[in-house]
Amino acid sequence: MNTIRARLGIATATLAVAGALTPLAAPAQAAPNCPWPFVCLYDFAGVKKGAFQDITAGYQPVNFAGGTGHNARRDDVVYLLDRNGTVGCIEPGKTASLPTPIKGLRISREARCFQ
């Protein structure tokens, strides 16, 4: 019986440590600090690092280490190009986690991603 309790204690401690390492959720202040018609980028601490509003044909250069993005636009999507060449997208009115560094941002008139 003592062996089972000891093993359960170790498992509980392991889960508690693992839980402390999970990524934080998107900052609550992301949307209120990002007015229409902007797309805002926040670092992992929730500090706004950029706001973009221009629709462009290509990617605007961005040097963003990662964190959260919020698209406050009503009808336009934002495409994000990370340093690995992967393209992500945030639809209008949505917030998304951006775990990898971003090197380009493009706002498009599309109402949904990858149309």
Side-chain angles (χ1 to χ4, degrees):
M1 187 72 119
N2 287 337
T3 305
I4 293 171
R5 285 187 189 153
R7 287 183 186 160
L8 288 175
I10 291 169
T12 303
T14 303
L15 289 174
V17 171
L21 299 175
T22 56
L24 297 175
Q29 71 272 23
N33 289 335
C34 189
W36 176 87
F38 290 95
V39 172
C40 301
L41 301 177
Y42 300 86
D43 67 13
F44 290 108
V47 176
K48 187 189 293 185
K49 293 298 183 179
F52 304 84
Q53 67 176 350
D54 296 333
I55 294 174
T56 58
Y59 285 94
Q60 301 175 56
V62 175
N63 185 13
F64 179 64
T68 303
H70 179 74
N71 182 359
R73 300 180 72 90
R74 296 184 185 123
D75 301 316
D76 309 317
V77 299
V78 59
Y79 291 103
L80 301 149
L81 178 65
D82 75 12
R83 291 192 182 152
N84 299 320
T86 303
V87 175
C89 184
I90 305 174
E91 292 189 338
K94 303 288 182 183
T95 300
S97 175
L98 306 172
T100 57
I102 303 298
K103 70 175 187 176
L105 181 144
R106 180 173 64 91
I107 298 171
S108 175
R109 291 195 187 275
E110 299 166 23
R112 296 186 56 129
C113 292
F114 304 108
Q115 284 187 330

